[in-house]
Amino acid sequence: MRDLPEPLTSLVRRGREPAVAQTVRSTAAAVISYVVALSLSSEPAPLTAPLTALLVVQVTLYSTLTTSVRRVNSVVAGVLIAIGFSWLVGLTWWSLGLIILASLVIGRFVRVGEFVPEVAISAMLVLGVTRVADTAWDRVLETLIGAVVGLLFNVLFVPPVWVEPAGEAIQDLARRMSTLLRHVGAEVGRPVAVAEAAARLHEARRLDHDIAEVDVSLRQAEDSLRLNPRVKEGLLSRIVLRTGLDALEISAVVVRVMCRSLTDLARERTDEPLFPADVADALADVFEHLARAVRSFAVLITTQVSTNAEDAESRLLEDLAAGRRSRDRAAHLLLDKVREHPRQWQLHGSLLAEVDRILDELDVEKRTERLTNELDRASREFRERFPLLSGIRRRLIRSRFGSRSSRG
């Protein structure tokens, strides 16, 4: 896209965004469902079908399937309630109140999720017409048409896998965290005003909001990997991204605590540098290597190609090793300075402990341990939730390996 004009490049980039894709897909599915409903429903304007398609078609196939089931359940429940009330009492002001109350209560028990109000809406719309039975089943038919068309639309035209936007969001988060660490490292060798240190602390606190936004993008990516025929190892990809974001989230919390310690230190040393020159140089190296390690870690967890992942892991190992060497050098220098000037030694110790925590969270061996534990947990949950499917899968694996061994 480098040779394209900037407006066209921006348009192509926006076309890859989930919101744009959902807008186009929902519009197409709604129109198709309306055309189908015109030929199957007796209603002159079967708008329930396109409305259902709009609600059902989601950015991912998994969310489309779950949404369609909840949507159909809500409409069927509302229709059945309306039919029952029409036979018993008809439509009055008090029966309207009863039907709304009953619909909202029953909606909680039929597991329709966010479509609980749809139960009451369906019941009221059906109860308010003269031909209750005909209108009721037309509404069910139109809902089924919209749900089926929306589901088939996402089955035939499989939604994209939204791992790339989630990976970009994770890398953006890592860049902001890395930039903050470099700024902190540049300030340890000079006098820092309390307001300036507090600004860094506020910047560290904003990382919490950034992580929340990344989490939304990651959840969408996780849903896009479920039930998607384009993806061969969706579970592994989901766990790699999720455990990676968890490590970055913990690191962001530690960075905030670190900025808190430096702010407290700035209050105590208003007219002098935060640290002597030799200690400041060592700490600046520590923060520089931490910044590089955070970036390398983000590249590692978002890289899909095995060769690139190996390169990213090698860079991460180098950054972590260099960070530990710088940390040890800074620790020895801080120990010597504390003996000469024992002021604020608690802050020095906490700063080193926070550096150690970040290095530990980004450690490659700990990452491997996390992945193993999460894969084991996911497999155990799958066996407990779907024992029949789990047994079939085990038999298939055994037969596959048995046939290989017999050929060997």
Side-chain angles (χ1 to χ4, degrees), residues 292-309:
R292 293 180 181 178
V294 167
R295 291 290 303 275
S296 298
F297 183 83
V299 172
L300 174 61
I301 64 176
T302 57
T303 299
Q304 302 298 317
V305 183
S306 58
T307 303
N308 294 340

Side-chain angles (χ1 to χ4, degrees), residues 67-87:
T67 302
S68 62
V69 171
R70 294 196 301 269
R71 169 75 179 178
V72 172
N73 284 346
S74 66
V75 172
V76 171
V79 166
L80 293 177
I81 293 172
I83 292 177
F85 268 78
S86 67
W87 285 344

Side-chain angles (χ1 to χ4, degrees), residues 22 25-26 53-61 63-64 67 154 159:
Q22 183 178 7
R25 297 170 69 86
S26 297
L54 284 175
L55 295 174
V56 164
V57 174
Q58 301 294 313
V59 181
T60 67
L61 180 60
S63 57
T64 296
T67 302
N154 268 8

Side-chain angles (χ1 to χ4, degrees), residues 217-246:
S217 179
L218 181 53
R219 288 181 185 276
Q220 189 174 77
E222 290 172 334
D223 282 348
S224 72
L225 292 170
R226 292 187 175 98
L227 305 179
N228 198 319
R230 298 181 181 180
V231 181
K232 293 182 179 179
E233 301 200 2
L235 175 62
L236 180 60
S237 298
R238 294 202 311 268
I239 291 178
V240 167
L241 291 174
R242 175 55 62 184
T243 55
L245 180 60
D246 289 343

Side-chain angles (χ1 to χ4, degrees), residues 28 56 103 155 167 182 196 243 278 308 353:
V56 164
S103 299
V155 170
R182 286 193 171 94
E196 187 177 359
T243 55
D278 53 349
N308 294 340

Side-chain angles (χ1 to χ4, degrees), residues 162-185:
W162 301 112
V163 172
E164 185 176 348
E168 292 175 355
I170 290 175
Q171 292 204 31
D172 286 340
L173 171 65
R175 276 192 289 270
R176 289 191 287 272
M177 196 183 307
S178 178
T179 300
L180 176 59
L181 287 168
R182 286 193 171 94
H183 288 165
V184 171

